[in-house]
Amino acid sequence: MTKKCSYCKSFIPDDTEICPHCGKKIERVDEFFGGEVYGFDKNIDEKKASTTNKNFETTKQSLDSNEQSEKLKEKPYIFKSALELIEKESISENKNIKLPELKKPSFESLYNEQKLSKSIDDYFYVMKFLQRSFLSILDQIVVLTITYVYYLIFIKSATSENPYYGIEGIGYFLVYYKSQAISIGIFFIIFNLIYYSLSAILLKSTPATFLRGYRFYNCKGEHPKFYILILRAIVSIFSNLVVIFPFLTSLVSDYRQSVYDKIFKVYILKKSDK
């Protein structure tokens, strides 16, 4: 059998090791690509392999450099923390980002924490029911005193014919001087509105509770808006005139709030000096 020389392409015997035509040695490599190949020059193929590897590495490096350059072009939207976001506000892409505002803790959360820890440095003190009742009575004594002065100045001279005193005199006055009694009632209600509304706006409290250091606060530990205080004063006056039940609910309330306090979310508190 013959075979073909891979160098000069001449046909030579199958067992020939050196080509008689070109003088090249015929080398044998077994099991290359699944069979026998003759005329394989190792030196030439190694040069080709090294050249191919160099080309592959060069191509890979160029691809990696292109990928890195593409990453550098990406916009820096990602920050590790809110602090970095604040520090990098100068970046145009992040100028319109608004950080959430810190919410002030509510009075109830602060009060519950103080109640559990039993700390002497309490932030707020809640008025006790008996103290609140006593101070409310003092405020009403002021209102009733001014109402009585109004009676002495404008009403009594017109009712000098009243022959009775005490409870009998009051009954006689209500029966025979109805118009004067109505005028006193109207004055009492109007003066209550003025007394509690003005004191709430100017003092953030009533005069009696103000002297004891207590003020009106909302759930954030701030003074309520003036219109909230006026509405509360109106509701409290009329509700307490009709029935005293709205005030008595402060006896069982956790923060000694009456019904109208709960409606307008008002707390009567004393702020700690510490």
Side-chain angles (χ1 to χ4, degrees):
M1 296 180 67
T2 60
K3 61 182 179 182
K4 193 175 183 180
C5 178
S6 59
Y7 301 106
C8 63
K9 309 300 181 183
S10 300
F11 290 96
I12 58 177
D14 196 20
D15 56 351
T16 304
E17 295 183 359
I18 298 175
C19 179
H21 300 283
C22 63
K24 297 277 183 87
K25 184 179 180 180
I26 307 300
E27 295 184 1
R28 180 176 177 176
V29 182
D30 294 332
E31 295 181 359
F32 187 81
F33 293 109
E36 295 181 352
V37 178
Y38 298 93
F40 182 80
D41 192 345
K42 289 184 177 179
N43 295 326
I44 296 173
D45 290 329
E46 285 177 359
K47 291 178 182 178
K48 289 182 179 179
S50 62
T51 306
T52 305
N53 289 334
K54 287 181 181 178
N55 293 333
F56 176 75
E57 290 178 358
T58 306
T59 306
K60 186 178 179 182
Q61 289 176 358
S62 62
L63 289 174
D64 291 340
S65 61
N66 290 333
E67 187 177 353
Q68 290 178 358
S69 62
E70 289 295 329
K71 286 184 178 179
L72 291 174
K73 291 179 182 178
E74 292 180 359
K75 296 179 180 179
Y77 284 113
I78 300 173
F79 298 93
K80 291 182 181 179
S81 63
L83 183 60
E84 282 190 35
L85 182 60
I86 295 171
E87 291 175 352
K88 297 186 179 182
E89 277 185 342
S90 59
I91 299 175
S92 59
E93 287 82 356
N94 298 306
K95 280 186 176 178
N96 296 325
I97 295 177
K98 292 183 179 179
L99 293 175
E101 295 181 359
L102 294 175
K103 292 184 178 180
K104 195 173 182 180
S106 66
F107 154 73
E108 294 186 6
S109 63
L110 290 172
Y111 180 77
N112 289 332
E113 289 177 5
Q114 295 156 12
K115 193 174 181 182
L116 291 173
S117 63
K118 296 181 180 179
S119 172
I120 59 173
D121 297 330
D122 288 341
Y123 194 69
F124 288 106
Y125 296 102
V126 177
M127 184 185 295
K128 297 185 182 298
F129 174 76
L130 291 178
Q131 188 178 16
R132 180 173 180 178
S133 301
F134 176 73
L135 294 177
S136 298
I137 290 171
L138 289 181
D139 284 321
Q140 278 301 301
I141 288 174
V142 173
V143 175
L144 289 172
T145 300
I146 300 300
T147 304
Y148 183 69
V149 171
Y150 169 80
Y151 164 76
L152 293 177
I153 296 174
F154 298 101
I155 304 298
K156 187 176 181 181
S157 60
T159 60
S160 57
E161 296 179 359
N162 189 348
Y164 301 101
Y165 296 95
I167 297 176
E168 291 85 358
I170 294 173
Y172 185 87
F173 177 78
L174 294 175
V175 172
Y176 293 98
Y177 299 98
K178 291 181 180 179
S179 60
Q180 287 85 351
I182 291 172
S183 65
I184 291 175
I186 293 172
F187 177 84
F188 175 76
I189 293 172
I190 292 174
F191 187 73
N192 264 288
L193 291 172
I194 295 171
Y195 180 83
Y196 287 103
S197 298
L198 284 179
S199 60
I201 294 172
L202 300 177
L203 305 177
K204 309 300 181 186
S205 181
T206 65
T209 55
F210 178 82
L211 294 175
R212 293 295 301 163
Y214 289 89
R215 307 286 186 274
F216 295 139
Y217 293 95
N218 57 21
C219 61
K220 295 181 179 179
E222 301 171 348
H223 295 303
K225 302 293 184 182
F226 75 94
Y227 60 86
I228 295 292
L229 296 175
I230 292 174
L231 290 174
R232 176 190 173 276
I234 294 172
V235 173
S236 64
I237 290 166
F238 286 102
S239 62
N240 288 329
L241 285 175
V242 175
V243 59
I244 202 171
F245 169 75
F247 178 81
L248 292 178
T249 56
S250 58
L251 177 63
V252 294
S253 173
D254 291 337
Y255 306 105
R256 299 294 176 258
Q257 288 177 289
S258 59
V259 171
Y260 38 85
D261 290 331
K262 286 184 176 293
I263 291 173
F264 296 102
K265 298 179 181 179
V266 173
Y267 303 85
I268 302 176
L269 311 169
K270 185 177 182 179
K271 200 169 184 179
S272 175
D273 295 332
K274 297 181 181 181

